[in-house]
């Protein structure tokens, strides 16, 4: 009988009356509840509640009955005809003090305070103001503790947290009623009164309280970022999508009506124009900045290779993804590659304020440990083809290893031995954040190179060395202070070339590569070198910030540092499904590492460039191919060192190596069938399972028969199986050359 009663109760609940979608939203906001709070109470996703309020979906039992009960109680508290009173914040009132003439940020938007951290629970959403707040005097700012209409209090000096109380960014959208809303981090929603794009920029700087405090003492605060949805683009007169011609140019035409509106309002655009990552600014006056950046997902601002489906998320969810990334890395300044490079500069600004002179004035001076504000020439051997340093070379001249540095990541494979073919599985392991780990603690050049003839090699001196390493024999290598190992060199890649081939004569190498030859127990005699006497660990803070961002986000996904191997493998299995939005952040952080390093040697991007002529990137002090080469060299050497230790200890040799992925033939399908652990401890100096940068995770497992069949099908005995080990899908097959 009780089962029948339960069935009747469920039937009644399935028809629980609900108010119209618009009324559901009004009631929630009237009580100061956020989508997160309602979703947590009903044990559903935030997007589910958002869909109910938009009328896109309807709740089903058992949530429907609870949702109807909540709305019924709210309707009793807030009748539809009741007047809405202006709201105060729960923050304590801040005493008014004289404002420092720092930033002309104005009255924050009408909203209740909410946590600015990306994982903090939101407090309240915004109410729509009765009228736009008037701008305060430019010499003063207002504290978010005072949000009443028309009331202003000056901001205490050094109050960056107050000036940026609503977080670093907002996703701007238009709701069903035609109201423009700005979705901030933490679930906060602001009403936007702006009717045009110039007005939106002005509102952002005066009222929105958006931005990010600087990442280092001599640096600059981060400019606010607005993400414009398709509805917002239509509202402000911008195209929802770019034409083929505009996409190729990377911007809309200069004569577009919105650009004319900006010009009339005395706003300017950077040289890259109005594209997917537009920057709108007015020239700085003293230390004051007036700049807003736009991100336009429908113009492909968020590359799916790095941001996945972020561009398709609802505005609140998109604000969460970008907000987590901004708080842990920095506010995006463009693609992940651009942001990775900008992060280096933000952590090591080129200049700083000097000590006061005799008149008490401070001046701009070089910031020690930075790359400075002026670009430096690279060495000829470090210059990519087409560089102005090479303009006198014959037109079709091809530079070899004795003229050009070939420091690149691994792409090596070999045929399997008969013994390996008797095993059942191919197991791929992948190094976490390999290039970030390669940057950690690396000493790189900060200034211009100095040419030296017949130098004595110094492992502590960054630079490029012309040296013959063909005599290094991997069949007998030093693996400890006084320990040598006998190995099968035919089954190992050379550590000195990206294709794993043994060098045939003198070649240009970065310092970590030459230092490894010495570590293996062999003498080196460089012929010449380009060294950098001004040097330092420029990338350490960059590595630390990206490492912390990666580990914090993986921890949110249930993967923690120092887990036992079996627990780690279990935690990594399906981690992306636990929170797909945070999984997007993980991908973006990893792309920031690789992209930022790639930008250090950015090549020409059209613009009518011809070989021998300078291109735009060369004017940056962060165009440093030598730093990129050093990081790649150290990353490749780190991997080879582990491969050698593993071979010496276990007798196992890699079948294929691609960048940071290594494939072994094994009797079992798990990485634990490849990696040696004794008493729960890994081989010293070898591979270790874990989430920290430099440790390894499981990349994928396939059958040995799969590998042999693929190689036979494409007639490629040395096909790099590491490229396809993850899911077994074979595309873009090379011939093993």
């Amino acid at each position: 009988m009780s089962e029948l009663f339960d069935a009747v109760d469920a039937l009644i609940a399935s028809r629980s009356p609900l108010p119209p979608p618009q009324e559901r939203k009004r009631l929630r906001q009237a009580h100061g509840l956020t989508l997160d709070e309602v979703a947590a109470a009903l044990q559903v996703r935030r997007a589910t509640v958002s869909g109910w309020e938009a009328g896109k979906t309807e709740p089903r039992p058992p949530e429907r009955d609870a949702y109807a009960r909540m709305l019924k109680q709210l309707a009793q508290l807030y009748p539809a005809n009741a007047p809405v009173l202006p709201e105060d914040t729960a923050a304590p009132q801040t005493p008014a003090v004289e404002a420092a003439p720092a930033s002309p940020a104005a009255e924050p938007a009408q909203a209740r305070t909410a946590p600015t951290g990306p994982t903090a629970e939101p407090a309240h959403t915004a109410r729509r103001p009765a009228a736009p707040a008037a701008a305060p005097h430019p010499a003063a700012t207002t504290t978010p503790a005072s949000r009443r209409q028309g009331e202003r209090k000056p901001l205490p000096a050094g109050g960056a947290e107050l000036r940026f109380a609503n977080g670093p960014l907002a996703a701007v959208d238009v709701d069903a009623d035609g109201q423009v809303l700005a979705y901030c981090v933490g679930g906060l929603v602001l009403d936007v009164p702006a009717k045009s794009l110039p007005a939106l920029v002005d509102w952002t700087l005066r009222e929105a309280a958006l931005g990010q405090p600087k990442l280092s003492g001599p640096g600059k605060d981060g400019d606010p970022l607005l993400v414009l949805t398709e509805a917002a683009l239509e509202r402000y007169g911008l195209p929802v999508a770019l034409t083929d011609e505009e996409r190729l140019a990377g911007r809309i035409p200069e004569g577009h009506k919105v650009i004319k509106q900006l010009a009339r309002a005395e706003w300017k655009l950077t040289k890259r124009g109005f594209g997917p990552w537009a920057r709108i600014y007015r020239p700085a006056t003293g230390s004051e900045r007036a700049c807003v950046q736009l991100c336009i997902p429908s113009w492909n601002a968020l590359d799916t290779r790095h941001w996945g489906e972020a561009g398709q998320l609802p505005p609140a969810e998109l604000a969460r993804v970008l907000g987590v990334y901004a708080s842990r890395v920095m506010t995006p300044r463009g693609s992940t590659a651009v942001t990775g490079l900008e992060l280096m500069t933000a952590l090591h600004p080129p200049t700083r304020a000097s000590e006061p002179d005799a008149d008490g004035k401070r001046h701009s001076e070089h910031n020690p440990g930075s790359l400075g504000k002026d670009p430096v020439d690279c060495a000829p051997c470090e210059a990519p083809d087409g560089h102005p340093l090479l303009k006198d070379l014959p037109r079709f001249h091809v530079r070899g290893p004795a003229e050009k540095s070939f420091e690149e990541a691994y792409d090596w494979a070999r045929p399997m031995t008969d013994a390996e073919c008797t095993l059942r599985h191919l197991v791929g392991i992948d190094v976490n954040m390999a290039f970030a780990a390669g940057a950690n603690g690396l000493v790189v050049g900060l200034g211009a190179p100095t040419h030296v003839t017949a130098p004595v090699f110094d492992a502590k001196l960054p630079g490029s060395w012309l040296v013959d390493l063909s005599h290094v024999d991997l069949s007998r290598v030093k693996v400890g202070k006084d320990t040598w190992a006998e190995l099968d060199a035919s089954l190992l890649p050379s550590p000195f070339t990206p294709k794993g081939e043994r060098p045939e004569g003198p070649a240009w190498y970065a310092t970590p590569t030459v230092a490894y030859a010495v570590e293996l127990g062999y003498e080196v005699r460089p012929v010449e070198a380009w060294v950098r006497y001004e040097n330092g660990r420029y990338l350490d803070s960059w590595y630390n910030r990206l490492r912390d961002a990666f580990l914090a986000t993986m921890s949110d996904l249930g993967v923690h540092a120092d887990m036992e191997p079996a627990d780690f493998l279990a935690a990594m299995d399906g981690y992306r499904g636990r929170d797909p939005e945070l999984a997007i952040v993980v991908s973006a952080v990893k792309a920031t590492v690789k992209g930022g390093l790639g930008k250090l040697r950015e090549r020409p991007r059209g613009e009518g460039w011809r070989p021998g002529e300078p291109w735009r990137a060369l004017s940056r002090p962060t165009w440093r191919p030598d730093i990129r080469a050093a990081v790649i060299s150290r990353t490749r050497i780190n991997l080879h060192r582990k491969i050698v230790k593993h071979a010496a200890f276990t007798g196992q040799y890699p079948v294929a190596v691609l960048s940071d992925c290594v494939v072994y033939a094994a009797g079992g399908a798990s990485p634990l069938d490849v990696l040696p652990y004794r008493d729960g401890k890994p081989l010293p100096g070898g591979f270790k399972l874990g989430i920290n940068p430099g440790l390894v995770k499981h990349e994928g497992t396939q059958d040995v028969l799969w590998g042999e069949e693929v190689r036979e099908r494409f007639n490629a005995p040395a096909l790099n199986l590491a490229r396809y080990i993850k899911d077994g899908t074979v595309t873009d097959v090379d011939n093993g050359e």
Side-chain angles (χ1 to χ4, degrees), residues 178-189:
Q179 173 66 38
V180 181
L181 302 175
Y183 294 82
C184 307
V185 298
L188 183 70
V189 182

Side-chain angles (χ1 to χ4, degrees), residues 32 183 482 569 627 660:
Y183 294 82
D482 298 310
L569 292 174
I627 296 180
D660 48 9

Side-chain angles (χ1 to χ4, degrees), residues 623-704:
W623 192 85
R624 293 296 300 271
D626 58 296
I627 296 180
R628 172 187 177 273
V631 174
I632 292 177
S633 164
R634 192 165 188 243
T635 303
R636 192 182 68 245
I637 294 306
N638 285 346
L639 185 59
H640 193 274
R641 184 183 292 111
K642 289 180 170 62
I643 290 172
V644 166
K645 294 283 182 70
H646 186 85
F649 191 82
T650 68
Q652 295 176 318
Y653 294 84
V655 172
V657 184
L658 181 68
S659 187
D660 48 9
C661 176
V662 187
V663 176
Y664 286 95
S670 168
L672 293 175
D673 296 307
V674 175
L675 306 183
Y677 276 81
R678 289 186 176 179
D679 299 326
K681 296 182 179 180
L683 165 69
F687 295 108
K688 178 184 178 181
L689 287 168
I691 197 59
N692 284 294
L695 306 188
V696 298
K697 66 179 185 297
H698 185 206
E699 179 70 4
T701 296
Q702 304 297 330
D703 295 336
V704 166

Side-chain angles (χ1 to χ4, degrees), residues 77-103:
L77 294 173
Y78 308 100
N81 57 354
V84 178
L85 300 176
E87 51 182 301
D88 294 331
T89 65
Q93 194 73 13
T94 304
V97 297
E98 198 61 29
S103 173

Side-chain angles (χ1 to χ4, degrees), residues 435-449:
F435 293 97
N440 181 30
L442 179 65
V443 178
V444 300
L446 301 178

Side-chain angles (χ1 to χ4, degrees), residues 184-218:
C184 307
V185 298
L188 183 70
V189 182
L190 305 176
D191 292 284
V192 182
K195 304 299 183 183
S196 66
L197 191 64
L200 177 64
V201 174
D202 187 70
W203 171 85
T204 302
L205 294 171
R206 288 178 174 271
E207 299 183 43
L210 296 173
Q212 187 174 44
K214 57 188 177 182
L215 299 181
S216 65

Side-chain angles (χ1 to χ4, degrees), residues 8 103 131 183 258 310 317 330 358 379 400 411 523 565 571 582 698 734:
V8 170
S103 173
Y183 294 82
V258 172
E317 282 76 3
M330 70 179 298
D411 186 356
E523 184 182 10
L582 287 183
H698 185 206
D734 56 32

